[in-house]
Amino acid sequence: MSLRLPGRLTVERASTATGLQPVEQEILGEMASSLGHAGRRVEQALARLAADEPGLDGEAREKRLRAVAATVHAYFIQRELCGMRRHDDVIREMGIPMRVLARLGAR
């Protein structure tokens, strides 16, 4: 006579038993890829801002800051969708200026 553990005590995860593990792996890969892409867009926008800002007048500077703020906002949303709720480290590492964060409602 053989014994089998109840379903809730088995070692296998439900996703392995149902074949969802490859799909979960694909989803995680896509999330990482899109987060990396959004991060590169922020880096490029910040580099353009730093390069162009000295020569911009008031209206052009404001337009550029709004564009950079929109890019940073999209990146923050992508991070939150991936489960990363705190942005302090990213702000510090990327050197996101306070004048950009102010357009997102930061104080």
Side-chain angles (χ1 to χ4, degrees):
M1 172 184 198
S2 65
L3 295 173
R4 195 173 73 165
L5 290 173
R8 62 183 160 81
L9 297 177
T10 59
V11 179
E12 292 182 340
R13 288 183 37 209
S15 62
T16 305
T18 60
L20 290 177
Q21 190 172 19
V23 174
E24 290 172 343
Q25 295 274 338
E26 184 72 23
I27 291 170
L28 289 175
E30 289 296 322
M31 287 172 63
S33 175
S34 63
L35 184 61
H37 179 69
R40 284 187 296 278
R41 288 187 62 206
V42 169
E43 290 171 348
Q44 292 168 354
L46 290 172
R48 280 192 308 271
L49 177 66
D52 295 344
E53 195 168 30
L56 295 176
D57 63 349
E59 187 176 321
R61 176 178 291 138
E62 184 61 31
K63 185 177 179 181
R64 177 61 55 96
L65 285 171
R66 278 194 308 255
V68 173
T71 305
V72 170
H73 186 244
Y75 178 57
F76 286 173
I77 290 172
Q78 187 66 40
R79 284 178 48 84
E80 289 176 7
L81 289 171
C82 291
M84 299 175 222
R85 304 272 186 247
R86 297 183 48 87
H87 307 297
D88 300 337
D89 293 335
V90 171
I91 292 169
R92 190 173 34 258
E93 286 176 19
M94 289 186 152
I96 300 173
M98 193 60 192
R99 61 188 181 276
V100 172
L101 295 172
R103 280 147 184 84
L104 299 177
R107 296 181 198 181

